[in-house]
Amino acid sequence: MGDSKEGGAESPPVGAAAGEGLSLLSQGESEEPSAQGSALFLGGNEVKSRAVVKYSSAPPRTAFARLEEKTDLKLPPANWLRESAKLGPAGTTILGNSKKSKPFSSFGMAYDFIDSVGNDVDVVSDSENIKKLLKIPYSKSHVSMAVHRIGRTLLLDELDIQELFMRSSQTGDWTWLKEFYQRLIDQKWQRKKKSKEHWYQKAILSKFLYYSINGDGAAQPVPSAAEQQESSSSDQTNDSDGASWPAPFEMPSSVSEDPSASSQGLKNDFVRNILWTFEDIHMLVGSNMPIFGGGRYPAVSLRLRDNNKPINVLTGIDYWLDNLICNVPELVMCFHVNGIVQKYEMIKTEEIPNLENSNFSTKVIKDIAQNILSFLKSNCTKEGHTYWLFKASGSDIVKLYDLTTLCEETEDKYQNPFTMPVAILLYKVACNMMMKKNQNKKHYGTIRTLLLNCVKLLDKSRHPQIIASANYMLSELFQLDEPKKEESSESPLNENSDESYSEEEEEMPDSDENGSYSTSSDPSDDNKAVAIIKSVGELSVPEKYKSIHQIRPSCTFPVCHDTEERCRLVLSYVLEGLKSVDSSIKKESDLPAADPNTPIPLKYEDESTRGGPEGLEKQMALFLDKMGSLQKGNYSSQSGMIPGSWQHKMKLQLILKSSKAYYVLSDAAMSLQKYGRALRYIKLALQSHDTYCCLCTNMLSEVLLFLSQYLTLCGDIQLMLAQNANNRAAHLEEFNYQTKEDQEILHSLHRESSCQGFAWATDLSTDLESQLSVSCKCYEAANEILQFSDLKSQNPEHYVQVLKRMGNIRNEIGVFYMNQAAALQSERVVSKSVSPAEQQLWKKSFSCFEKGIHNFESIDDATNAALLLCNTGRLMRICAQAHCGAGDEFKREFSPEEGLYYNKAVDYYLKALRSLGTRDIHPAVWDSVNWELSTTYFTMATLQQDYAPLSRKAQEQIEKEVSEAMMKSLKYCDVDSVSARQPLCQYRAATIHHRLASMYHSCLRNQVGDEHLRKQHRVLADLHYSKAVKLFQLLRDAPCELLRVQLERVAFAEFQMTSQNSNVGKLKTLSGALDIMVRTKHAFQLIRKELVEEFDQPKSDESTPAADSSPSLNREEVIKLLSIFESRLSFLLLQSIKLLSSTKKKTSSNTEDDVVLKTNKQIYSQLLRATANKTAALLERIDVLVHLLDQLARGGGSVQ
């Protein structure tokens, strides 16, 4: 828009200050571009002024030509009205035949210096308007200005009532204002024509300036740089179709959708823009004053005065303010009489207030400035509203009207021509702040207010682009992934933050001290005015109008107390944006009719019609094919949007935002365990994404990553729904519910695509297998997407998460098929052979486990890989169990198939242990795998022992294999570590020792010949019996097992006794057997304790019927073992009595033997009497036995 952007002041430092005059303190030479302007201080503590030129299109300053006396200014110079680079556009501007101050001049400046607006500048205006305001108390002339508020900045523009009303009679605009003006203010209004004197003075001034241009090329018509810039920018702006609105966050080259915008003067037409600080007021001022320089006078302003008319106060203030604003230290006045030059006079700027006939106090001017600013800031509170500051000619009363409110009372509220420029400016300021949003989040409230006010001003049908863009920016303000703790520190929501920056709702009562603005019974007041200054004289009173409303630095940003609230706000803005975009697309008739109020039906298909998991495979293939085509950039829109158009760009952005919001909502619902709601939201997220894919011409990797995340979450939800099948009705109800907002967003999506791309992933099935399959397919699709581009290496954490989930779901599906196979196996009665259905389930289960193991191994997750290997081992055991049913139960043998599968199971368990490496990695998993491995060996050994495959193998080989398997089972059975599983391990180990002892006992009975082997078996049997007893004694809940082992030991002793010939040997064996009998007392005591507890239970709880047996004690087994015990004890005592009696006859009397014999006889006698009593209760029998065993223990029971 101009040649140069100057950082410094236009004038270099000039001379010293006069004693009481104005001094100029400069910070640098004008040649230095870094100089930041100059400060002017009045002597005697008066006013401070500082001006910094922000922009200038003026040519380099040249000295003015001093005209000779008697030069006739009525005669035009040769170069008159020719464009001149030296004069710039100033000549024609001052003449008034071309560009006078336009009603939108401040907006042009605001657009160029958007950083200053709403923030650190109080006023943006033409210098002429500033001067007019500061002269109000001194002048009788009328004042008419439009005032707009953007943040803390006020924009002031001349509102030429006469020109407007002339225009209104031609165009019909502003008729409402004309009627209002005539009714309330000036009932006899008519166009006032300017006098001939006025035009004469204008013409003579213009000729004088052209005469004053020094140089040979004065008469050459040279277009100025500003003109060239104007022509180039008007080429952009005068586009008949209206310029394309930018994508969000791009500063527009042209901001208007309205082709008439350029004619409204939305350009910065000033020769220079100056940041002027007057006391504490910061103003961005536009000025066209010609400045001359060079030679003795580096910077002067040139004025023409009629020698017959003395300078009055108004002229003095005018000159003084012009020089202050432009930082010009001196004024040159040329005096003329009837157009004939008389003389020149030079005056310093600081001396102007003291000129004869033009005395004024600079301090009063300062007070006027502060009072007017306070008055306007206190009353122009609503952002986006057009206020009208009006003082009638010759009147002392200044009134402020809210034209927006008055305009809204008319039929067309958009008749206010200021609406569009204000909305554009609000939008541009918000855009500018948005660009810097990451630097400072405290501006979010301000940006939101700017955008809300912008949207409020615009007509949706006329400006869909800005409304869509503003709504998108509003949605961008809410960080969807923001941690909650940040929100809680925000200030509470201010109810008025939508309205403006000031607290206009909290109006304080007026007082005389602060100036009474309004509501007086004086007939000069009217009730339409927002505020009134009753007398212009009040403006000269220091601090008469204090700003009673503190301007907040930024608006409060609404606090969203939870994620759902924040997402709902985002979606409300997205919906408004989508509506704006859709309304601007013309091809409405080509679209299928859809009522946004009618819910879109959700399709449910029976699993059989869709083909279950097989159908899923086809849908997945189609989906992946589509994703591949996206990489090539296929584009398909049903609504006929043109790729690259603003509608296309904006809709893409809005749809992506909606998909993110729905994803966050789904994630939040998931954490609340509302799985039906979570599936509904993720369905909407994926439908949004599907539409995005249809519209997108170039898929970004970031968007593909979002899709991968959405599908991962969808997989999680489907898995949770599968695991919570008992609450299916509630989930279905949540899934089917739809808000009106969601329906309308979906309606907008359906304009572009069918939204069925992800239907396979988001159906709520009632079938468990289908849900698990869908979940798995979601993870697979998420993983496939990561393979498309370099996403896998760019997002390693997400990739690991996806693979973990894939491993987990494959484990879940594997377990599901495995359990189904086990259920089929348990139902199998008629046919003993393995069914094809079972085999099919094994294959499916095995395949899932294998893939899952591969997933976990690829991300070095040893623990989970071990768990899946463990599950595969379990599957092998189920396969083995399935084969055990084949054949007749009586002829049953341990089959080779069983052996094969059990050995495979062992292999998988060993692999699991190798995967873990050591117990330290995960003790719980390590212990679990060890236990399963021990169980497999134990089961294998037990089956070989119980169903020995004698048709295939020799007895010795079977015994060897059983022994080896049992010892391996013992190896992996940890009896020493204290844990919840320790009693189980002890019981298992005891059972193994018992079984091994029984096996060697059996071998000894059946074996003939090889004495060495017999001796070995005898030793092993004795060893294992001892170990079994020790372990069973550690357990409190296995008294029957302990009793059985002891009875087997007694039987083992009896068997040994049969092969003995000498009485001494037999007596010794008998003595050992009776010792074993005595040691069974512990088992009987445990049985007795349980029986007593069982007997007492019905008494303590009448409602519980007396049970014959508790879960831990089998009464029948106890009675059976008790009978065996009684008979064996009876037998041993009888044998002992016989042997001791025969020994007594043969040998001399032995006192010890006599005692034992006597004791044994007594016990034997008591035992016979006790067993003869068939009616004795179980508890009595046990008590008798415990008593007898005590006697036997005391009496020695045997001969040493």
Side-chain angles (χ1 to χ4, degrees):
M1 193 180 274
D3 295 330
S4 62
K5 294 250 177 189
E6 299 179 18
E10 289 221 346
S11 62
V14 178
E20 287 293 315
L22 192 72
S23 67
L24 183 76
L25 306 175
S26 175
Q27 292 181 323
E29 299 294 323
S30 60
E31 286 81 16
E32 292 290 329
S34 61
Q36 290 297 310
S38 307
L40 296 155
F41 297 93
L42 265 188
N45 70 16
E46 300 240 348
V47 296
K48 288 177 287 190
S49 172
R50 171 187 174 85
V52 178
V53 178
K54 300 289 280 183
Y55 160 83
S56 173
S57 63
R61 282 197 293 273
T62 54
F64 65 93
R66 187 181 277 264
L67 305 182
E68 293 178 10
E69 276 187 48
K70 309 297 181 187
T71 302
D72 189 353
L73 296 176
K74 294 193 289 295
L75 298 173
N79 64 347
W80 191 43
L81 299 186
R82 305 265 180 96
E83 290 291 352
S84 164
K86 292 181 182 177
L87 192 58
T92 49
T93 302
I94 287 172
L95 180 62
N97 66 350
S98 173
K99 298 172 185 166
K100 63 171 291 177
S101 181
K102 293 184 180 175
F104 303 101
S105 60
S106 67
F107 289 90
M109 275 191 285
Y111 291 165
D112 281 355
F113 298 99
I114 206 80
D115 273 343
S116 305
V117 178
N119 201 11
D120 50 2
V121 169
D122 296 299
V123 176
V124 177
S125 188
D126 182 347
S127 60
E128 296 301 314
N129 295 333
I130 301 285
K131 291 189 294 181
K132 196 176 278 188
L133 280 179
L134 297 186
K135 291 189 293 186
I136 282 178
Y138 301 93
S139 169
K140 290 290 180 187
S141 61
H142 90 290
V143 174
S144 174
M145 284 187 202
V147 185
H148 294 91
R149 181 198 192 99
I150 307 288
R152 58 163 285 180
T153 304
L154 296 175
L155 274 68
L156 304 179
D157 293 282
E158 184 184 356
L159 196 59
D160 188 330
I161 290 292
Q162 294 189 359
E163 190 178 307
L164 279 177
F165 293 169
M166 283 293 289
R167 184 180 161 190
S168 80
S169 57
Q170 296 164 12
T171 63
D173 290 345
W174 296 95
T175 49
W176 58 275
L177 183 60
K178 185 175 178 180
E179 288 166 12
F180 171 74
Y181 181 82
Q182 288 175 334
R183 189 170 70 251
L184 286 179
I185 295 158
D186 189 350
Q187 294 179 354
K188 298 173 185 174
W189 178 85
Q190 58 181 12
R191 176 97 174 140
K192 294 181 177 69
K193 293 185 178 177
K194 290 183 177 175
S195 63
K196 286 183 180 178
E197 176 66 17
H198 170 82
W199 295 112
Y200 166 74
Q201 292 296 341
K202 282 274 185 187
I204 206 167
L205 172 60
S206 177
K207 291 168 188 173
F208 165 67
L209 285 171
Y210 275 96
Y211 271 120
S212 300
I213 299 169
N214 189 18
D216 300 329
Q220 298 303 315
V222 183
S224 72
E227 290 284 316
Q228 290 169 355
Q229 182 67 28
E230 253 173 47
S231 62
S232 66
S233 61
S234 65
D235 288 345
Q236 296 173 359
T237 320
N238 282 330
D239 183 1
S240 61
D241 296 329
S244 173
W245 196 258
F249 316 141
E250 292 174 19
M251 291 312 289
S253 56
S254 167
V255 297
S256 176
E257 291 181 358
D258 185 351
S260 66
S262 58
S263 64
Q264 289 180 334
L266 294 183
K267 292 181 296 183
N268 185 353
D269 286 330
F270 296 104
V271 173
R272 62 185 70 79
N273 301 127
I274 300 148
L275 196 58
W276 181 40
T277 305
F278 186 57
E279 280 294 307
D280 56 350
I281 303 169
H282 303 286
M283 292 178 263
L284 182 62
V285 181
S287 171
N288 288 326
M289 184 177 79
I291 300 173
F292 297 87
R296 287 172 53 199
Y297 314 112
V300 295
S301 57
L302 201 55
R303 302 289 183 173
L304 184 65
R305 290 297 308 162
D306 190 333
N307 211 8
N308 298 327
K309 295 177 185 174
I311 294 177
N312 60 21
V313 173
L314 293 174
T315 310
I317 293 173
D318 227 33
Y319 293 173
W320 180 69
L321 287 173
D322 266 335
N323 277 17
L324 275 193
I325 289 167
C326 294
N327 216 11
V328 176
E330 290 176 288
L331 163 70
V332 173
M333 283 203 281
C334 174
F335 292 93
H336 73 97
V337 175
N338 295 326
I340 307 298
V341 174
Q342 301 294 312
K343 61 173 179 176
Y344 279 83
E345 191 177 316
M346 183 162 282
I347 304 160
K348 289 187 181 298
T349 301
E350 60 265 30
E351 293 168 359
I352 295 172
N354 304 320
L355 288 175
E356 194 180 346
N357 298 322
S358 175
N359 268 338
F360 61 90
S361 165
T362 55
K363 194 168 182 304
V364 169
I365 302 293
K366 177 204 77 170
D367 292 333
I368 294 167
Q370 288 173 335
N371 279 326
I372 287 175
L373 182 67
S374 294
F375 174 75
L376 291 175
K377 281 207 168 182
S378 296
N379 295 290
C380 302
T381 53
K382 293 183 179 177
E383 212 169 27
H385 280 227
T386 299
Y387 291 91
W388 180 30
L389 187 72
F390 179 77
K391 180 177 91 73
S393 182
S395 170
D396 273 356
I397 300 167
V398 182
K399 297 179 183 180
L400 185 72
Y401 296 95
D402 183 346
L403 291 188
T404 305
T405 310
L406 294 172
C407 184
E408 282 169 356
E409 294 169 6
T410 66
E411 287 178 14
D412 184 4
K413 70 169 186 171
Y414 299 107
Q415 241 199 26
N416 179 355
F418 281 102
T419 300
M420 187 63 188
V422 174
I424 297 280
L425 187 56
L426 289 167
Y427 177 80
K428 288 190 79 172
V429 173
C431 264
N432 186 55
M433 293 175 89
M434 200 75 171
M435 300 281 277
K436 303 171 186 172
K437 68 170 182 168
N438 294 331
Q439 298 166 22
N440 198 344
K441 287 190 176 181
K442 75 178 181 186
H443 292 314
Y444 276 18
T446 308
I447 297 169
R448 179 171 174 271
T449 306
L450 288 163
L451 291 170
L452 286 172
N453 286 327
C454 168
V455 170
K456 206 182 288 183
L457 285 175
L458 295 171
D459 180 357
K460 289 181 182 178
S461 60
R462 295 184 197 177
H463 310 290
Q465 192 172 355
I466 309 176
I467 288 174
S469 187
N471 276 298
Y472 175 68
M473 280 198 282
L474 280 165
S475 74
E476 276 290 291
L477 289 174
F478 293 86
Q479 297 302 300
L480 292 173
D481 49 359
E482 200 173 77
K484 286 183 182 174
K485 59 185 174 187
E486 281 184 27
E487 294 164 17
S488 58
S489 63
E490 300 256 12
S491 56
L493 174 61
N494 182 289
E495 294 300 325
N496 302 324
S497 62
D498 287 7
E499 289 293 321
S500 74
Y501 290 76
S502 68
E503 300 163 359
E504 75 278 0
E505 303 298 324
E506 302 168 21
E507 296 216 347
M508 293 168 66
D510 299 322
S511 67
D512 291 337
E513 201 175 44
N514 290 331
S516 311
Y517 295 160
S518 61
T519 58
S520 156
S521 58
D522 191 295
S524 62
D525 296 339
D526 66 76
N527 58 1
K528 295 285 184 182
V530 175
I532 293 170
I533 298 173
K534 291 179 181 175
S535 169
V536 290
E538 293 178 353
L539 293 171
S540 307
V541 180
E543 298 187 359
K544 174 71 175 173
Y545 292 97
K546 286 182 184 172
S547 182
I548 57 171
H549 294 267
Q550 290 302 310
I551 307 303
R552 292 198 292 276
S554 69
C555 279
T556 50
F557 193 64
V559 179
C560 299
H561 298 292
D562 59 18
T563 311
E564 183 152 2
E565 194 182 335
R566 190 166 62 235
C567 291
R568 278 285 158 209
L569 262 175
V570 167
L571 288 168
S572 69
Y573 293 130
V574 166
L575 176 58
E576 287 306 313
L578 287 172
K579 282 179 178 176
S580 291
V581 173
D582 292 342
S583 69
S584 71
I585 300 168
K586 303 298 178 206
K587 287 195 170 182
E588 294 281 358
S589 56
D590 300 346
L591 292 169
D595 179 9
N597 297 319
T598 308
I600 289 161
L602 299 162
K603 294 175 185 171
Y604 294 101
E605 292 179 13
D606 185 56
E607 223 31 67
S608 57
T609 61
R610 207 177 61 188
E614 291 75 18
L616 265 182
E617 293 290 344
K618 291 176 189 170
Q619 289 173 316
M620 265 293 289
L622 286 169
F623 160 72
L624 292 173
D625 186 50
K626 180 180 176 182
M627 292 310 299
S629 70
L630 279 177
Q631 298 298 101
K632 300 166 196 161
N634 287 0
Y635 171 83
S636 63
S637 163
Q638 294 178 3
S639 68
M641 271 196 301
I642 301 157
S645 65
W646 74 262
Q647 287 103 330
H648 177 245
K649 289 177 184 172
M650 185 53 65
K651 194 152 190 178
L652 273 178
Q653 298 277 49
L654 289 164
I655 287 171
L656 191 59
K657 192 72 182 178
S658 73
S659 75
K660 287 183 199 171
Y662 281 127
Y663 168 71
V664 174
L665 278 170
S666 180
D667 195 41
M670 179 78 170
S671 61
L672 293 171
Q673 298 181 351
K674 301 284 185 186
Y675 304 122
R677 190 195 304 173
L679 186 62
R680 168 162 55 90
Y681 284 138
I682 203 69
K683 180 173 184 171
L684 286 161
L686 286 167
Q687 284 175 322
S688 299
H689 206 287
D690 188 32
T691 308
Y692 184 93
C693 294
C694 289
L695 296 180
C696 191
T697 51
N698 183 24
M699 185 64 75
L700 298 170
S701 60
E702 178 196 18
V703 179
L704 280 175
L705 177 64
F706 288 149
L707 179 55
S708 179
Q709 289 168 342
Y710 299 170
L711 286 166
T712 306
L713 180 59
C714 189
D716 292 349
I717 295 163
Q718 292 282 13
L719 175 57
M720 294 317 292
L721 283 165
Q723 291 176 350
N724 290 272
N726 55 341
N727 207 11
R728 187 170 276 134
H731 296 319
L732 189 63
E733 190 180 339
E734 283 179 354
F735 179 66
N736 288 336
Y737 175 77
Q738 261 193 337
T739 65
K740 188 170 187 296
E741 197 173 64
D742 293 341
Q743 288 171 24
E744 289 183 350
I745 288 174
L746 204 50
H747 174 61
S748 179
L749 298 179
H750 276 282
R751 290 170 62 93
E752 309 304 334
S753 83
S754 63
C755 301
Q756 292 299 307
F758 298 97
W760 58 269
T762 53
D763 276 349
L764 181 53
S765 172
T766 52
D767 177 59
L768 182 61
E769 180 184 356
S770 174
Q771 283 177 323
L772 291 171
S773 299
V774 167
S775 179
C776 186
K777 293 299 171 196
C778 286
Y779 296 137
E780 285 173 12
N783 185 41
E784 287 287 344
I785 288 161
L786 292 177
Q787 315 295 333
F788 276 129
S789 48
D790 201 23
L791 286 172
K792 188 167 69 171
S793 55
Q794 289 169 10
N795 305 277
E797 286 181 15
H798 178 60
Y799 177 64
V800 167
Q801 284 301 314
V802 170
L803 282 184
K804 268 194 176 179
R805 283 168 160 81
M806 276 172 71
N808 178 54
I809 191 65
R810 283 167 170 166
N811 178 51
E812 291 282 342
I813 297 172
V815 169
F816 171 76
Y817 288 136
M818 181 166 71
N819 291 341
Q820 277 199 320
L824 274 180
Q825 186 183 309
S826 63
E827 289 165 10
R828 185 164 21 109
V829 179
V830 183
S831 167
K832 294 289 180 81
S833 60
V834 179
S835 66
E838 274 180 84
Q839 290 179 326
Q840 196 62 35
L841 288 167
W842 293 343
K843 282 178 187 171
K844 284 181 179 178
S845 180
F846 180 74
S847 169
C848 289
F849 287 140
E850 206 170 35
K851 287 175 184 172
I853 291 161
H854 175 70
N855 291 146
F856 285 126
E857 284 176 347
S858 65
I859 54 171
D860 299 321
D861 189 342
T863 308
N864 280 317
L867 283 169
L868 262 77
L869 285 162
C870 198
N871 276 339
T872 315
R874 189 173 150 225
L875 175 67
M876 295 300 116
R877 281 160 62 194
I878 285 173
C879 295
Q881 285 165 20
H883 285 91
C884 79
D888 189 3
E889 189 63 33
F890 297 107
K891 298 174 187 174
R892 161 118 164 76
E893 282 190 358
F894 182 71
S895 66
E897 290 86 356
E898 284 178 87
L900 175 73
Y901 282 118
Y902 277 122
N903 281 317
K904 278 186 178 180
V906 165
D907 287 343
Y908 282 113
Y909 289 129
L910 289 170
K911 273 185 193 172
L913 288 177
R914 283 198 295 276
S915 173
L916 287 169
T918 61
R919 187 174 186 271
D920 300 339
I921 294 207
H922 204 298
V925 176
W926 177 269
D927 292 346
S928 178
V929 175
N930 269 296
W931 172 254
E932 294 295 334
L933 186 52
S934 169
T935 305
T936 307
Y937 278 125
F938 176 71
T939 308
M940 206 157 63
T942 306
L943 288 169
Q944 276 185 296
Q945 195 175 4
D946 294 349
Y947 305 103
L950 292 167
S951 62
R952 289 183 290 111
K953 292 179 183 176
Q955 180 74 36
E956 291 80 9
Q957 191 187 348
I958 292 168
E959 285 166 6
K960 184 184 174 188
E961 285 178 8
V962 168
S963 176
E964 282 175 2
M966 287 291 191
M967 294 316 289
K968 282 176 181 173
S969 181
L970 269 177
K971 176 186 171 185
Y972 295 106
C973 188
D974 183 6
V975 293
D976 301 319
S977 298
V978 178
S979 67
R981 201 182 265 129
Q982 192 184 23
L984 277 175
C985 291
Q986 289 171 338
Y987 185 86
R988 163 77 50 79
T991 308
I992 290 169
H993 286 300
H994 178 198
R995 277 187 162 268
L996 283 171
S998 297
M999 186 180 78
Y1000 291 127
H1001 184 178
S1002 174
C1003 291
L1004 203 58
R1005 280 179 183 278
N1006 301 328
Q1007 221 166 25
V1008 185
D1010 198 341
E1011 194 56 42
H1012 172 70
L1013 198 58
R1014 284 174 65 81
K1015 188 177 180 183
Q1016 194 179 356
H1017 283 161
R1018 191 181 299 116
V1019 170
L1020 285 169
D1022 199 41
L1023 173 73
H1024 286 298
Y1025 275 132
S1026 302
K1027 286 184 176 180
V1029 167
K1030 275 182 190 171
L1031 286 163
F1032 277 130
Q1033 279 176 336
L1034 292 173
L1035 299 165
R1036 295 187 171 277
D1037 55 354
C1040 293
E1041 286 83 348
L1042 177 57
L1043 192 55
R1044 188 182 285 110
V1045 174
Q1046 295 288 41
L1047 285 170
E1048 280 190 32
R1049 285 181 78 191
V1050 169
F1052 183 59
E1054 288 178 15
F1055 172 71
Q1056 282 179 293
M1057 200 169 70
T1058 56
S1059 62
Q1060 289 173 329
N1061 298 319
S1062 69
N1063 285 352
V1064 177
K1066 283 183 178 181
L1067 269 172
K1068 190 175 180 182
T1069 307
L1070 271 171
S1071 175
L1074 283 167
D1075 270 351
I1076 293 166
M1077 286 296 206
V1078 169
R1079 289 195 201 109
T1080 57
K1081 181 183 158 186
H1082 175 66
F1084 282 118
Q1085 283 173 329
L1086 288 173
I1087 291 169
R1088 185 183 186 285
K1089 186 182 175 189
E1090 285 197 37
L1091 286 169
V1092 169
E1093 283 175 3
E1094 189 184 301
F1095 183 73
D1096 290 343
Q1097 191 181 357
K1099 291 181 183 177
S1100 61
D1101 186 0
E1102 293 299 330
S1103 64
T1104 309
D1108 280 349
S1109 63
S1110 67
S1112 58
L1113 193 66
N1114 187 336
R1115 191 179 278 259
E1116 285 178 15
E1117 191 179 7
V1118 171
I1119 292 168
K1120 185 180 171 186
L1121 288 170
L1122 191 61
S1123 301
I1124 296 168
F1125 186 85
E1126 286 170 346
S1127 69
R1128 293 340 292 157
L1129 181 58
S1130 174
F1131 172 77
L1132 289 175
L1133 286 170
L1134 183 60
Q1135 291 302 312
S1136 169
I1137 291 164
K1138 282 180 180 177
L1139 281 170
L1140 284 170
S1141 298
S1142 63
T1143 309
K1144 188 180 175 185
K1145 287 174 187 175
K1146 291 176 185 176
T1147 58
S1148 56
S1149 179
N1150 186 328
T1151 317
E1152 263 188 44
D1153 286 358
D1154 289 346
V1155 173
V1156 170
L1157 181 59
K1158 186 180 176 183
T1159 306
N1160 287 359
K1161 280 180 176 179
Q1162 284 175 351
I1163 293 167
Y1164 183 61
S1165 171
Q1166 288 174 41
L1167 181 63
L1168 284 176
R1169 276 200 296 276
T1171 50
N1173 182 9
K1174 302 292 182 187
T1175 59
L1178 185 57
L1179 205 56
E1180 287 176 36
R1181 288 169 70 184
I1182 290 170
D1183 284 341
V1184 168
L1185 279 179
V1186 171
H1187 175 65
L1188 292 176
L1189 291 174
D1190 277 341
Q1191 283 185 41
L1192 197 58
R1194 285 197 302 272
S1198 60
V1199 183
Q1200 300 302 322

